[in-house]
Amino acid sequence: NAGVTQTPKFRVLKTGQSMTLLCAQDMNHEYMYWYRQDPGMGLRLIHYSVGEGTTAKGEVPDGYNVSRLKKQNFLLGLESAAPSQTSVYFCASSLRPGTSRRAYEQYFGPGTRLTVT
Amino acid sequence: DAKTTQPNSMESNEEEPVHLPCNHSTISGTDYIHWYRQLPSQGPEYVIHGLTSNVNNRMASLAIAEDRKSSTLILHRATLRDAAVYYCILRDPINTDKLIFGTGTRLQVFP
C-alpha cells in the first residue's frame, strides 16, 4: 500500500493564480482531511469529508474549496492564491469511527509545500 | 473544543526515558487523549491514545491521571529517531471527531 500520497510536493504560485492539490489514499478510508501548517505552528483543519460526495468546513476554510468525487481522492482548490496561503498542506485519511480498532488513527501524507509570491 | 497545554520543548539523552506532560483541565467525559508526533519534514504520525486507563504499545506508554485533567507520554528509551514535535490532542469521536492540534512539544535527543 502507498498509504496517503499528495501531488505536487512543491509549488510556487503568483498572487491571483489558481491551483489544485490532489490527495489520494489506497486504504479504502471513508474520512479524508486537509490541514495547513504555518511555520512553528500546529496543524489547522481546512476542510474534511466523511464520505464520497460530502464535504464540510474546518477551522480555516476561507479561500479554499474541496471536492470528493471519488472515495480515494480529495482535492483542495485555491481559486485566487494569496501570500497568506503560503504554508505546508497535509492531507490525512481515516476509517469511519467505530468501524474497527484502527478507526481512531489518522494517516497523513508527506505534505505539499506551497509558496505564494 | 477542549484545549491542551504542553511545554514548548524538552531535551533528553539517548537511551534515557522521556516523560512528556500534557494538561487538559477542561477535558469532557467523551474526549479521548491522542498523541501524534511529527518528524522533521514529514506529516504527523499516530503514537497512542487512551480514555481513562493507562495504555502501552510498541512505541510508547500513556499514563492518564485519575481525574483525567493531565496525561504523560512515556518513551521508555529515547533514540535519535524520536526527535520530533509531539502533539497531545483531545478527540471527541461522538460530537466532532476532529483533531485539534496545538503547538506541541519539540523533543531534542542528544547522543
Side-chain angles (χ1 to χ4, degrees):
Chain A
N1 287 350
V4 179
T5 58
Q6 294 183 231
T7 310
K9 289 185 169 49
F10 303 92
R11 185 73 185 268
V12 178
L13 287 180
K14 294 188 190 303
T15 297
Q17 287 185 318
S18 63
M19 78 163 293
T20 300
L21 282 67
L22 170 64
C23 176
Q25 52 92 7
D26 60 2
M27 296 173 283
N28 203 33
H29 286 171
E30 291 87 359
Y31 284 31
M32 295 188 74
Y33 313 81
W34 275 108
Y35 295 87
R36 61 177 286 173
Q37 185 174 34
D38 299 327
M41 305 284 287
L43 280 70
R44 291 184 293 170
L45 183 64
I46 304 172
H47 285 280
Y48 64 103
S49 168
V50 300
E52 186 178 323
T54 70
T55 62
K57 294 180 180 180
E59 294 176 82
V60 289
D62 294 341
Y64 305 95
N65 56 74
V66 288
S67 65
R68 183 101 181 266
L69 298 180
K70 293 182 180 180
K71 186 177 185 178
Q72 63 267 34
N73 294 339
F74 195 27
L75 305 180
L76 178 71
L78 287 74
E79 289 189 349
S80 180
S84 61
Q85 294 178 305
T86 293
S87 191
V88 181
Y89 291 85
F90 289 101
C91 176
S93 70
S94 70
L95 291 167
R96 185 181 305 279
T99 55
S100 84
R101 292 179 61 247
R102 302 301 299 273
Y104 46 75
E105 184 175 344
Q106 286 191 15
Y107 293 79
F108 285 80
T112 294
R113 186 173 297 275
L114 175 67
T115 302
V116 183
T117 61
Chain B
D1 296 307
K3 295 277 192 278
T4 63
T5 304
Q6 300 176 251
N8 288 335
S9 63
M10 293 185 66
E11 298 177 351
S12 175
N13 293 319
E14 204 174 7
E15 298 189 6
E16 288 184 354
V18 180
H19 290 230
L20 298 165
C22 181
N23 287 323
H24 27 79
S25 58
T26 60
I27 191 170
S28 73
T30 52
D31 283 332
Y32 281 74
I33 302 159
H34 286 248
W35 284 82
Y36 279 71
R37 72 178 186 181
Q38 187 173 20
L39 302 173
S41 301
Q42 294 189 26
E45 63 176 348
Y46 168 84
V47 177
I48 201 166
H49 83 288
L51 183 62
T52 56
S53 304
N54 294 346
V55 185
N56 298 298
N57 67 19
R58 65 176 178 81
M59 290 180 71
S61 296
L62 176 60
I64 301 172
E66 197 168 333
D67 63 4
R68 299 208 329 125
K69 293 183 185 297
S70 66
S71 60
T72 302
L73 179 71
I74 303 165
L75 307 179
H76 295 286
R77 290 178 73 237
T79 69
L80 296 177
R81 197 193 173 277
D82 291 323
V85 178
Y86 288 78
Y87 296 99
C88 170
I89 301 164
L90 300 183
R91 181 178 184 185
D92 179 352
I94 296 173
N95 294 317
T96 67
D97 198 44
K98 294 193 285 286
L99 297 179
I100 306 296
F101 284 79
T103 52
T105 296
R106 181 174 298 278
L107 175 66
Q108 289 183 285
V109 181
F110 298 104

